Amino acid sequence: MPVTAASDTSPLLAVRQLSVFYGQFRAVDAVDLSVRAGEVVSIIGANGAGKSSLLKAIIGQADRIEGVISYCGEDLAGQGTAEIVAKGIALVPEGRRLFPSLSVEENLHIGWEVGRQGEIGIEDVFGFFPILKERCRQKARELSGGQQQMVALGRALLANPRLLLCDEISLGLAPVVIDSLYKLIPAIKARGIGILVVEQDITRSLAVADRFYCLLEGKVTLASRPSATSREVVMQHYFGL
Amino acid sequence: MAGAWANQIIQGILLGGLYAMFAIGLSLSVGIMRFVNIAHGDLIVLVSFLLLTLTTRLGVPLLVATAIVVPVAFVGGYLLQRLLLQRVLGQGVLSIVLVTFGLSVIIQNALQGIYGADTRLIQGGGIETETIQLAGGINIGMLPLAIFVFAVALVFALDLLLYRTRLGARIRAVSDDVASANLVGLRSAHIYAVAMGIVGVTVALSAGFMSVWTNFDPTSGPSRLLVAFEAVVLGGLGSLWGTLAGGIIVGIAQSLGAQVDAGWQLLAGHLVFLAVFLIRPQGLFPK
Ligand SMILES: Nc1ncnc2c1ncn2[C@@H]1O[C@H](COP(=O)(O)OP(=O)(O)OP(=O)(O)O)[C@@H](O)[C@H]1O
Ligand SMILES: [Mg+2]
């Protein structure tokens, strides 16, 4: 059972008995999970555990799902990604997925257009990542990997999400760059945004998380708080020992 | 003698304007949606027949008729993409070729059935006979000049739309990577359909010009497609200015070929296309 935080507020996101299928293959298997406003929840798990599939299902990009994805009390199952994003869920996709021929500014602005158009504007993103302001006319493909990840995160933030989904934002980046990205998480959290972080890097992931779920072959094997769990227990559930 | 050749080159450039008009829509669909619409020429002919009905049956002046047809063509392009082409997009090149080929056959047969096989021309209200006299005995027709200027203006406008507007950025985003676009919440099917609506507008405009300048009948589509295709490939896929240049090159080649021998006109265009294609398969101004 997921550990419930202060139970006076209802969760922003409550996933119940969610399964995600590719054909006959069940990539996510009856997962229960919740995220509250202003809470950082991490999902850890090895390659192929089903982390990305879970996020894709939440954002409305899975072919076939079973179960309930309840967001602010409304079931998202069957809704299109455009509607879901407009309601306040944004994804920083695995592998960044920028539009390579568009400028930095154009990439960022797309996040604004598809989103809720709230208080976070492009100047805020330039405030988080000043380098992007200098590069704003350059094409996304001309940026370094770290700068591209900043654009991907900025694009998602510009959608003014209430729930931010981050899929392996540290992948392939130098530690200093990862630090600069993770430094932002407390600021995002302070705005009351719920954050669901997917990482393979357990240390990094648990350091920012209020709660975490460990996923193994599509199933939740452990749901706990970083402070309440020893490294050994985490590793056991991560590898399924 | 030199004057005659100079004249042919000028006429060729102007003819290239018409060819560019044919090709701009195809260039957009190749550049943005990355497919070749085999029915492109037939759609131009279809709109020409619509204009024919409006002008001859209902007595609407051609300019007004074109103004009526342009928004209709936008909606038509939107629905064509949304209801038909979108279903086969991403299922390999062959499906879309087969579907648009089928569309081409349907349009040709429907036009034959409704209008018969006669060759048609729409009266432009006098502009088609007006000319400007230049030094050296060169005459420039007002209509070809107007078409050429319009083609340049259209390329300019579409270039602005694609590269300087938010809508253009959304269209380029979907064209860059549909899956990513869907993942961040862009409505890619709608955006593609809007792009096809814009293609429809260019189809309507080129039909307006073509129907006054050249004869057409229900089977004229494929030859229009061929010229458009040559212009697009010559210019380089995805480049609108390249398409304009490609149209002009085909126009000049045809015009010079005709100067040698009337029978050489079309062949000269194809030969120049083949020659450039062999030397620069990526086209002159690839994106
Ligand atoms: N499009 C797809 N078609 C078929 N199977 C897929 C597809 N995408 C993922 N899978 C399978 O689903 C399972 C879960 O994949 P998923 O990408 O969700 O894992 P992940 O935890 O994100 O892994 P990673 O850490 O490598 O990103 C894997 O076994 C994978 O092979
Ligand atoms: Mg993944």
Side-chain angles (χ1 to χ4, degrees):
Chain A
M1 281 303 288
V3 176
T4 42
S7 50
D8 50 327
T9 53
S10 63
L12 202 54
L13 179 80
V15 166
R16 285 188 293 275
Q17 292 295 301
L18 180 70
S19 296
V20 180
F21 298 87
Y22 298 104
Q24 291 301 311
F25 175 66
R26 194 187 283 255
V28 173
D29 190 353
V31 163
D32 287 311
L33 169 156
S34 68
V35 183
R36 287 166 193 284
E39 186 183 35
V40 180
V41 173
S42 31
I43 300 175
I44 56 174
N47 272 322
K51 308 180 295 295
S52 297
S53 303
L54 177 62
L55 296 194
K56 278 192 201 156
I58 296 170
I59 204 82
Q61 285 285 312
D63 288 343
R64 188 159 77 84
I65 64 170
E66 276 172 11
V68 177
I69 303 170
S70 162
Y71 168 71
C72 299
E74 179 191 7
D75 190 6
L76 294 182
Q79 297 195 28
T81 305
E83 286 91 45
I84 294 173
V85 173
K87 283 179 181 151
I89 303 183
L91 170 70
V92 185
E94 187 173 17
R96 308 190 265 275
R97 309 297 294 261
L98 298 182
F99 302 110
S101 78
L102 269 61
S103 71
V104 168
E105 192 271 342
E106 286 171 332
N107 267 285
L108 290 172
H109 199 271
I110 282 188
W112 172 264
E113 286 176 46
V114 296
R116 291 198 308 151
Q117 318 199 335
E119 58 181 11
I120 302 176
I122 200 154
E123 285 305 325
D124 298 291
V125 171
F126 290 153
F128 294 146
F129 307 116
I131 184 77
L132 296 188
K133 186 159 191 166
E134 290 167 34
R135 300 273 157 105
C136 79
R137 302 212 159 271
Q138 264 179 292
K139 290 194 162 60
R141 72 160 78 92
E142 293 162 2
L143 302 185
S144 71
Q147 291 161 358
Q148 289 188 5
Q149 192 60 270
M150 292 172 191
V151 177
L153 184 53
R155 179 178 64 184
L157 286 174
L158 274 169
N160 280 275
R162 301 174 67 181
L163 176 65
L164 180 68
L165 313 174
C166 299
D167 199 348
E168 305 211 26
I169 47 180
S170 66
L171 199 70
L173 300 180
V176 276
V177 181
I178 303 174
D179 286 342
S180 73
L181 291 164
Y182 267 89
K183 261 207 319 250
L184 223 61
I185 293 211
I188 300 170
K189 181 181 152 135
R191 287 175 181 262
I193 299 171
I195 310 174
L196 192 54
V197 180
V198 160
E199 276 293 351
Q200 282 194 38
D201 181 341
I202 300 171
T203 312
R204 175 91 51 190
S205 186
L206 296 189
V208 294
D210 296 312
R211 290 187 299 115
F212 72 95
Y213 295 84
C214 187
L215 217 55
L216 178 71
E217 291 170 0
K219 291 192 178 73
V220 173
T221 51
L222 177 66
S224 183
R225 297 174 174 282
S227 54
T229 323
S230 74
R231 177 108 189 150
E232 274 146 10
V233 173
V234 173
M235 296 314 270
Q236 276 169 14
H237 289 87
Y238 186 97
F239 291 110
L241 301 173
Chain B
M1 196 58 207
W5 287 97
N7 182 45
Q8 285 306 105
I9 289 179
I10 291 175
Q11 306 305 335
I13 293 173
L14 295 180
L15 182 61
L18 181 69
Y19 290 168
M21 285 295 306
F22 292 160
I24 287 166
L26 192 71
S27 181
L28 285 174
S29 55
V30 169
I32 297 168
M33 285 158 282
R34 303 181 198 288
F35 67 75
V36 177
N37 177 5
I38 305 289
H40 182 73
D42 302 291
L43 290 170
I44 296 176
V45 174
L46 172 69
V47 176
S48 299
F49 274 100
L50 282 181
L51 291 171
L52 183 75
T53 299
L54 284 172
T55 51
T56 57
R57 285 282 167 78
L58 306 174
V60 181
L62 181 61
L63 272 180
V64 179
T66 308
I68 294 172
V69 161
V70 163
V72 172
F74 179 87
V75 175
Y78 185 97
L79 294 177
L80 176 66
Q81 177 70 33
R82 199 73 201 249
L83 301 180
L84 183 66
L85 302 181
Q86 189 67 34
R87 289 164 191 266
V88 282
L89 217 61
Q91 290 182 13
V93 214
L94 192 60
S95 319
I96 198 101
V97 167
L98 289 177
V99 166
T100 56
F101 181 73
L103 190 64
S104 160
V105 173
I106 292 170
I107 294 173
Q108 286 182 36
N109 284 305
L111 290 177
Q112 291 259 18
I114 298 168
Y115 293 95
D118 293 350
T119 296
R120 315 288 188 135
L121 190 67
I122 295 179
Q123 303 304 314
I127 188 180
E128 59 269 48
T129 52
E130 282 176 39
T131 59
I132 302 171
Q133 296 241 324
L134 294 188
I138 297 174
N139 285 322
I140 291 185
M142 270 307 279
L143 179 65
L145 184 63
I147 294 175
F148 184 84
V149 170
F150 197 91
V152 175
L154 186 61
V155 168
F156 185 75
L158 287 173
D159 208 60
L160 283 185
L161 175 72
L162 270 183
Y163 291 96
R164 294 278 179 275
T165 68
R166 294 298 175 197
L167 172 63
R170 284 199 290 278
I171 290 175
R172 282 180 290 123
V174 175
S175 172
D176 260 7
D177 188 341
V178 185
S180 295
N182 291 334
L183 214 50
V184 300
L186 282 173
R187 298 174 195 272
S188 62
H190 169 72
I191 293 169
Y192 266 155
V194 168
M196 200 62 188
I198 296 169
V199 171
V201 169
T202 73
V203 162
L205 293 171
S206 52
F209 288 125
M210 180 197 81
S211 55
V212 208
W213 191 355
T214 64
N215 294 323
F216 60 94
D217 65 63
T219 59
S220 304
S223 65
R224 304 297 187 275
L225 172 71
L226 189 58
V227 173
F229 183 74
E230 289 180 347
V232 169
V233 175
L234 274 183
L237 301 186
S239 163
L240 289 170
W241 289 106
T243 298
L244 179 67
I248 292 173
I249 291 169
V250 175
I252 294 175
Q254 286 193 359
S255 184
L256 291 180
Q259 173 74 2
V260 176
D261 181 310
W264 273 76
Q265 181 177 353
L266 293 180
L267 186 62
H270 299 326
L271 287 178
V272 167
F273 164 74
L274 273 182
V276 178
F277 184 62
L278 286 176
I279 300 164
R280 261 184 89 83
Q282 73 275 40
L284 298 171
F285 309 99
K287 261 275 145 75

